Amino acid sequence: MKKQLPAWLVLGLIALIAGCALGFTNELTSPIIAEQTLVAADEARRAVLPDAMEFQELTVADGAVDNCYLGSANGETVGYTTQVTVKGYGGDIEIVVGVDNDGVITGLNVGGANFSETAGLGAKTKEPAFTDQFKGLTSPLVLKENVDSVTGASVSSGAVVNGVNAALDYIASIK
């Protein structure tokens, strides 16, 4: 006579083995993922404030922005970078803005891990054709006046402009 293990026991063993494998994989990869996230954030800061050699994180008290960094070179402040997350058409949009000491935008990075704007429309807010127009501008920014909207993506474009204005207001308040 053949003896078989009950189905629930087999499924339980499979679930246990799969759970252990997933936990082990997470333990192995989580430090690497965290390091890559820090490197990507540092690259975004360097891209929007290219004159800075070092970045020092500043304390953000009121929650108006996600984070703010003072950029310096040779011991002198060259500007600030700040990240703000705004709600776009498809979800959250992370915006990193670089500003020099005179309040002039030096660069803009749009995207983030949860960026889910419509491909071919709102996703164009990540492209240099849109972000480069912010360089050299100062606050306040107004959509369709000093910033052109992405055709068919006015919600995403407006969200980016509002986020940049929030970042500029915050930097002006700490200077």
Side-chain angles (χ1 to χ4, degrees):
M1 180 169 215
K2 247 184 180 176
K3 290 191 176 182
Q4 291 184 334
L5 291 175
W8 63 268
L9 185 58
V10 172
L11 289 175
L13 287 172
I14 291 172
L16 180 66
I17 292 168
C20 289
L22 286 172
F24 179 72
T25 302
N26 184 52
E27 283 296 314
L28 263 170
T29 59
S30 62
I32 297 166
I33 292 170
E35 183 180 329
Q36 289 176 344
T37 301
L38 289 174
V39 168
D42 193 48
E43 287 175 4
R45 285 190 288 277
R46 291 189 191 287
V48 299
L49 193 61
D51 292 342
M53 304 295 277
E54 303 172 338
F55 293 95
Q56 175 188 359
E57 187 171 11
L58 304 176
T59 303
V60 176
D62 62 2
V65 297
D66 300 338
N67 59 52
C68 186
Y69 286 81
L70 177 122
S72 60
N74 300 323
E76 294 192 25
T77 301
V78 296
Y80 299 86
T81 67
T82 189
Q83 177 182 312
V84 63
T85 302
V86 295
K87 189 76 169 160
Y89 181 78
D92 290 341
I93 302 173
E94 288 180 9
I95 303 163
V96 180
V97 182
V99 180
D100 68 11
N101 289 327
D102 298 323
V104 177
I105 297 172
T106 58
L108 181 71
N109 185 323
V110 176
N114 298 323
F115 187 82
S116 59
E117 297 303 291
T118 307
L121 294 173
K124 289 185 178 182
T125 58
K126 292 174 69 171
E127 297 176 1
F130 180 74
T131 59
D132 285 351
Q133 67 180 321
F134 288 84
K135 290 180 184 175
L137 298 179
T138 58
S139 182
L141 303 176
V142 180
L143 191 63
K144 297 181 184 173
E145 285 186 23
N146 56 355
V147 176
D148 294 330
S149 176
V150 172
T151 303
S154 58
V155 173
S156 301
S157 301
V160 171
V161 169
N162 291 339
V164 172
N165 278 327
L168 292 174
D169 291 346
Y170 182 79
I171 291 171
S173 74
I174 63 169
K175 284 174 57 175

